[in-house]
């Protein structure tokens, strides 16, 4: 994950000196920020109750299943096809979430986090205090960064993509073959999510088209 982040950010503008108007956060960006804040809260609660096993599990779950598995894949449509503001917003999110995650993981994984942090921190907005991750501030939960609609919308998109991939597997259809999708019984939220995130859905589910059927079709 750190290699992917560095390849796509070290030689590019990551918005460290940009105003909010110069960046546009995608749904995936807002989702991963909210998921990270929830992970910070879970880790704090686990440490407070001396449940270091639960803290480790929360860090593993976020790092592997959310950040590495889904978020990195969701950044590709933006980094490859987005405009300047969208790419800058996604790069900004990539480096800042990774930097914060390294500080959150450091008490449990002290050495590798130090090494990676030394390369990632200069790309971020985080103002370091000293030369080592050991003496930096520990991430604190900020509920204002939790966009519940973004979290709900992205989880819906994940379910949609997984359903298409499962059908491919059941019918032995090549993952690279573009598929036409017919949708029935969609509600207003479903329609909004499809309209707002067509590029994400089409790129990750490898779709040829999405057609909404009338209730009597």
């Amino acid at each position: 994950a750190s290699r992917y982040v560095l390849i796509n950010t070290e030689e590019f503008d990551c918005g460290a000196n940009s105003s909010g108007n110069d960046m546009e956060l995608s749904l995936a960006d807002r989702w991963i920020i909210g998921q990270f804040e929830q992970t910070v809260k879970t880790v704090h609660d686990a440490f407070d109750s001396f449940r270091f096993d639960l803290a480790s599990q929360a860090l593993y779950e976020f790092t592997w299943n959310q950040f590495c598995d889904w978020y990195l894949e969701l950044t590709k449509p933006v980094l490859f096809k987005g405009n300047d503001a969208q790419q800058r917003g996604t790069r900004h999110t990539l480096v800042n979430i990774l930097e914060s995650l390294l500080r959150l993981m450091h008490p449990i994984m002290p050495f590798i986090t130090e090494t990676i942090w030394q390369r990632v921190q200069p790309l971020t907005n985080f103002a370091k205090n000293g030369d080592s991750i050991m003496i930096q501030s520990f991430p604190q939960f900020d509920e204002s960064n939790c966009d519940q609609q973004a979290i709900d919308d992205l989880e819906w998109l994940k379910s949609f993509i997984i359903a298409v991939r499962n059908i491919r597997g059941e019918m032995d259809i090549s993952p690279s073959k573009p598929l036409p999708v017919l949708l029935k019984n969609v509600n207003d939220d479903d329609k909004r999510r499809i309209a707002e995130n067509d590029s994400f859905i089409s790129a990750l589910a490898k779709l040829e088209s999405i057609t909404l059927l009338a209730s009597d079709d």
Side-chain angles (χ1 to χ4, degrees):
S2 59
R3 183 172 182 272
Y4 173 88
V5 173
L6 291 168
I7 287 174
N8 286 284
T9 58
E10 276 194 308
E11 303 298 326
F12 300 94
D13 179 5
C14 299
N17 300 311
S18 302
S19 67
N21 295 330
D22 298 326
M23 295 186 291
E24 181 181 335
L25 298 185
S26 71
L27 173 65
D29 296 332
R30 291 180 280 121
W31 167 76
I32 199 66
I33 291 170
Q35 292 285 27
F36 177 73
E37 292 294 346
Q38 292 180 347
T39 302
V40 171
K41 186 177 187 302
T42 300
V43 169
H44 273 273
D45 291 344
F47 280 156
D48 289 344
S49 58
F50 300 99
R51 290 299 306 269
F52 305 118
D53 58 326
L54 296 181
S56 300
Q57 182 60 39
L59 289 166
Y60 177 87
E61 166 67 22
F62 175 81
T63 303
W64 188 252
N65 296 328
Q66 307 298 345
F67 189 75
C68 294
D69 187 0
W70 278 103
Y71 180 61
L72 296 191
E73 188 174 8
L74 288 164
T75 64
K76 293 176 183 178
V78 179
L79 294 178
F80 297 157
K81 297 182 179 180
N83 60 39
D84 287 346
Q86 291 167 340
Q87 291 183 2
R88 189 177 297 110
T90 290
R91 291 190 189 106
H92 183 270
T93 305
L94 273 168
V95 296
N96 281 278
I97 289 294
L98 178 56
E99 187 280 328
S100 299
L101 177 59
L102 291 168
R103 283 186 284 125
L104 191 66
M105 295 172 66
H106 182 69
I108 294 176
M109 298 178 65
F111 301 108
I112 187 64
T113 49
E114 176 78 70
T115 300
I116 299 173
W117 184 84
Q118 293 293 341
R119 289 188 63 179
V120 172
Q121 184 277 327
L123 304 173
T124 71
N125 288 341
F126 181 72
K128 66 178 180 178
N129 175 28
D131 294 330
S132 173
I133 194 176
M134 290 189 294
I135 55 176
Q136 309 307 315
S137 60
F138 196 63
Q140 301 297 312
F141 173 63
D142 185 350
E143 188 173 5
S144 67
N145 286 330
C146 295
D147 185 336
Q148 192 57 51
Q149 179 174 308
I151 292 173
D152 293 341
D153 285 355
L154 202 285
E155 291 301 326
W156 185 91
L157 258 65
K158 286 168 59 179
S159 298
F160 185 107
I161 293 165
I162 289 170
V164 173
R165 289 175 176 176
N166 286 342
I167 291 172
R168 286 182 185 275
E170 292 167 2
M171 301 185 69
D172 196 25
I173 300 172
S174 169
S176 62
K177 179 179 174 58
L179 297 179
V181 170
L182 308 179
L183 295 180
K184 192 173 182 180
N185 299 324
V186 295
N187 59 34
D188 290 340
D189 271 342
D190 297 336
K191 293 177 182 178
R192 175 184 59 80
R193 287 161 172 160
I194 292 168
E196 292 177 355
N197 302 285
D198 178 68
S199 61
F200 275 135
I201 297 173
S202 296
L204 296 182
K206 296 293 190 297
L207 302 185
E208 176 184 289
S209 61
I210 301 176
T211 303
L212 304 182
L213 301 178
S215 58
D216 56 349
D217 282 350

